[in-house]
Amino acid sequence: MNDYIEHRLRRIHSILAHHLSTLDLILAGKTTNLETAKEFSLLLDLMGTKGSDFKQDCKEVEAEAYRLADKEGLIHE
């Protein structure tokens, strides 16, 4: 893994961690319906504003990982 991939993975991790911790609280019944609704509003806003960055980061990590794997001779056609 190089710095390019690591930087993008950290951004991806941050977004996914927030979503997972929120879902864990909701599934554990530790939120009211209003809190759940408000949290999903926040998550939807986050995905709306950062969703394209998230998707682009995922695409870039995928492409770079394949490029590095090919460079290492791990991809055989």
Side-chain angles (χ1 to χ4, degrees):
M1 173 172 37
N2 59 27
D3 289 341
Y4 179 82
I5 289 177
E6 184 175 350
H7 175 71
R8 275 144 188 82
L9 286 174
R10 289 192 187 283
R11 290 193 328 195
I12 291 166
H13 181 270
S14 176
I15 290 171
L16 290 176
H18 177 79
H19 288 278
L20 289 174
S21 66
T22 300
L23 290 172
D24 285 345
L25 288 173
I26 293 167
L27 289 170
K30 295 182 180 181
T31 60
T32 65
N33 288 326
L34 181 58
E35 290 170 329
T36 299
K38 287 182 178 182
E39 189 59 37
F40 269 91
S41 293
L42 291 172
L43 292 175
L44 288 168
D45 286 345
L46 174 69
M47 290 309 294
T49 58
K50 295 191 177 188
S52 61
D53 291 340
F54 177 77
K55 186 175 181 180
Q56 187 61 36
D57 282 346
C58 289
K59 286 180 178 181
E60 289 180 20
V61 168
E62 176 191 37
E64 182 68 1
Y66 274 124
R67 187 190 71 74
L68 292 172
D70 188 39
K71 184 178 176 181
E72 295 168 354
L74 298 174
I75 297 176
H76 307 284
E77 294 182 29

